[in-house]
Amino acid sequence: MSLIVQKFGGSSVADAKRVFNVAGIVTDTYKEGNDVIVVVSAQGDTTDDLIEKANEINPHASKREMDMLLSSGEQISASLLAMAIEKLGLPVVSMTGWQAGITTDSNHSSARIRKINPERIKNEIDQKRIVIVTGFQGTSKYDNITTLGRGGSDTSAVALAAACHADLCEIYTDVDGVYTTDPRIVPEAKKLDEITFDEMLELASLGANVLHNRSVEMAKKYNVNLCVRSSLTRAEGTVVKEVVNMEKMMVRGVAKDCDVARISLVGIEDTPGKAFRIFSLLAKHNINVDIILQSIGRNNKKDISFTVSQTKIDEVVDLIKSNKDNIGFEDFSYTTAVSKVSIVGAGMVTNPGVAAKMFEALYEAQINIHMIATSEIKVSVLIDEGCEQKAVKVLHDKFELAL
Amino acid sequence: MSLIVQKFGGSSVADAKRVFNVAGIVTDTYKEGNDVIVVVSAQGDTTDDLIEKANEINPHASKREMDMLLSSGEQISASLLAMAIEKLGLPVVSMTGWQAGITTDSNHSSARIRKINPERIKNEIDQKRIVIVTGFQGTSKYDNITTLGRGGSDTSAVALAAACHADLCEIYTDVDGVYTTDPRIVPEAKKLDEITFDEMLELASLGANVLHNRSVEMAKKYNVNLCVRSSLTRAEGTVVKEVVNMEKMMVRGVAKDCDVARISLVGIEDTPGKAFRIFSLLAKHNINVDIILQSIGRNNKKDISFTVSQTKIDEVVDLIKSNKDNIGFEDFSYTTAVSKVSIVGAGMVTNPGVAAKMFEALYEAQINIHMIATSEIKVSVLIDEGCEQKAVKVLHDKFELAL
């Protein structure tokens, strides 16, 4: 008998039929003798519909009120799933973030979980109830409702698994695991049976769209057994863990991310503290920067380029314009017509030929590289928007990932 | 400077335009120097849509989960109204039932407010914020979300007015006050400037559809200054208070209620405790009984007839069938093809001719009377369904209410 956390995304509970499909998975797990905590996202397009409602009234509504609005979506899906499980004749109770004891910071719309008090959940589990918790949300210490930002339900699931010492945290999606790349682009893409936290982290943050990166970070930190599997096929899925059976594969997957915008500041005075000013400004406004490139100084001037999510580009441009004097630069430009493609693999750092092989494949396909960033287990390149599918294909071929 | 509670129903916030209309009323009141607490219902058909979603999954869902589901409706309307007020540039904060400190009993789907801890509301008011509270809901002592039942937002508003010692509680509807009868039936119906709590109570519970009866009871108990007015015209409305300028009018209004079902138990043994058994059974299942009639015993047998809301008829029939032996009766019958029409007026009890005049008017219109019930300030009759409009008209004429 184990305690299992199961997370289902919005498309898995989009309509009554799918809600019953999920209820089937949950109750089967329960009937096998396990305790089950379920985390659900809002149904299908609910969140988008609510955002549209808000935009109609006030496109600049406060984040606090947006969180109040959006959190209703999970409350609806959680209670509907509970009703389906009731229909199947099993004991169940649904809970909002505050009922589940999830406390976050006050950073509305992208809050981070601070603490989970699992007392009530444990109580309900002790009474042999299936517990359903609204994903994506919690409350701040001021008792305001917060949301964790898009994809935050994965984080809710992992955090609950950690707080309740669950034996396993299953993330159900509409794909049956983590692939060497997106199977919609490369049909030969292979499903991975196992992957390390670090590799998954790179794939997640690189836009593989399978797991939210914060959830993987948290799983790594608290050593939560994580598994990605399909709510449709019930196939085995991919296990994410600390160390995997390494085989000899160096490159484990290819990922693309189209939600990228590049900003370049030109002619910055080459004195200490400039980079600090730029990035502390962005950090203060809670803007995540991905790739950063700084040119080598020349004539006492240097250039700094960096990438952010496209959703943040307006905010970043405003910030940079209004802090021009403070930062000190001659000119700046930005574009959203770029994409990021990356190769990921834990064995990469020990094999210097990998990056070269990547650049070779892109050169052969006549794809121009604008920026390059490397870490111990990945190489990312920024290329023109529109080339990313081709890039993924040629890289998948080059590294023979289908074999 | 006063503290004013303003309640807006679902049709008042049905779309973005109406939300801004409400935001206009609220901010005007605030700009006149008042502190404002706003109570909102769910938008337009939201509650019905949610019930439909639930029925698709499980028509017999637990009331606990239904409350979890339905309470999301007010969370949506409250946050949207807050966003509209933000757009108008004024400080505002929306709150759910639990954030507003509203504690109820555990009677899901028709909970009663037990206590309000207004600490947070007072805090926000002290910071000069307009406070918006979700109507219709609270939390039980077990931290479960409860709803007060349909029309419960009126009760939320009055309870908050009492707990926060508000100077006035304004109930905004789509009519501009309380009329001598439904103006859609009798165009000559007259708006009343003032009405007593007791008269309003009879009109509300008799289906005048202006104020929820529990809200009037509570207003009377805590002496809350209540006012019914239109969110569309901003006309003066009707003030509900303890004592009104009585004039000489005995009958103040005519009300009809079509949501009536009659049940008759025939051939009950004429021994003590029979009525107790029937009605304690119904009370235990939280079923409100309206009119009760008991025939005079004969041959050691008696008959008992009573009325309930049509929504409860299936439950009542089931209860009576399964307790046939326990109650002890020969036969029973029921019908929903009945309506109730009533005349209300505080001066009525001192004028014995009023009831006779009512029966005369109905006789002249050839309307048959099935049951009669009287109180100090009203006379109600049960008639065939379909006759109620005609009955209202002839009674309104007979008592010259248009004059």
Side-chain angles (χ1 to χ4, degrees), chain A residues 62 65 86 94 98 120 143, chain B residues 62 65 86 94 98-99 144:
Chain A
S62 67
E65 294 301 334
E86 285 178 346
S94 70
W98 63 267
R120 166 126 195 221
D143 269 357
Chain B
S62 67
E65 295 300 335
E86 285 177 347
S94 71
W98 63 268
Q99 290 173 323
N144 287 322

Side-chain angles (χ1 to χ4, degrees), chain A residues 241-282:
Chain A
K241 49 189 189 177
E242 194 54 52
V243 179
V244 304
N245 199 349
M246 281 291 292
E247 306 168 21
K248 280 200 191 134
M249 206 192 290
M250 285 165 307
V251 175
R252 300 275 285 174
V254 180
K256 73 171 170 61
D257 185 1
C258 298
D259 178 20
V260 183
R262 183 189 55 177
I263 298 99
S264 297
L265 303 189
V266 179
I268 301 173
E269 203 183 316
D270 195 5
T271 52
K274 289 294 183 187
F276 165 74
R277 274 192 208 168
I278 298 167
F279 297 109
S280 70
L281 177 70
L282 297 176

Side-chain angles (χ1 to χ4, degrees), chain A residues 308-375:
Chain A
V308 297
S309 163
Q310 290 188 1
T311 58
K312 298 286 185 183
I313 186 68
D314 291 343
E315 200 176 347
V316 171
V317 169
D318 285 351
L319 277 173
I320 287 176
K321 277 185 184 163
S322 58
N323 287 278
K324 187 171 192 297
D325 293 343
N326 181 32
I327 301 170
F329 56 88
E330 287 167 3
D331 202 5
F332 88 100
S333 65
Y334 64 94
T335 176
T336 57
V338 287
S339 289
K340 187 172 65 170
V341 171
S342 312
I343 53 172
V344 174
M348 211 180 270
V349 66
T350 55
N351 197 315
V354 172
K357 199 167 169 183
M358 179 186 196
F359 304 151
E360 183 186 10
L362 295 174
Y363 165 71
E364 284 165 1
Q366 291 291 307
I367 294 168
N368 198 24
I369 299 171
H370 298 301
M371 281 170 96
I372 300 169
T374 58
S375 80

Side-chain angles (χ1 to χ4, degrees), chain A residues 21 24 33 37 39 54 61 138 160 162 165 277 296 299 307 317 325 355 386:
Chain A
N21 176 50
I37 300 170
V39 175
L160 283 167
H165 307 288
R277 274 192 208 168
I296 297 180
N299 300 332
T307 64
V317 169
D325 293 343

Side-chain angles (χ1 to χ4, degrees), chain A residues 165-186:
Chain A
H165 307 288
D167 300 286
L168 179 62
C169 178
E170 297 181 324
I171 308 289
Y172 285 84
T173 68
D174 46 9
V175 296
D176 59 0
V178 180
Y179 275 72
T180 51
T181 195
D182 188 339
R184 285 168 302 188
I185 300 175
V186 182

Side-chain angles (χ1 to χ4, degrees), chain A residues 20 43 53 57-58 62 64-65 68 71-72 75-76 83 86-87 94 98-99 120 142-144, chain B residues 20 43 53 57-58 62 64-65 68 71-72 75-76 83 86 94 98-99 120 142-144:
Chain A
F20 273 107
Q43 288 190 296
K53 258 180 190 282
I57 285 176
N58 183 355
S62 67
R64 194 259 177 212
E65 294 301 334
M68 182 83 167
S71 61
S72 66
Q75 197 171 321
I76 292 171
M83 292 174 192
E86 285 178 346
K87 175 101 175 178
S94 70
W98 63 267
Q99 289 174 325
R120 166 126 195 221
Y142 305 108
D143 269 357
N144 287 321
Chain B
F20 273 106
Q43 289 190 295
K53 257 179 190 283
I57 285 176
N58 185 354
S62 67
R64 194 257 177 213
E65 295 300 335
M68 182 81 167
S71 62
S72 66
Q75 198 171 320
I76 292 171
M83 292 175 193
E86 285 177 347
S94 71
W98 63 268
Q99 290 173 323
R120 167 130 195 218
Y142 304 108
D143 269 357
N144 287 322

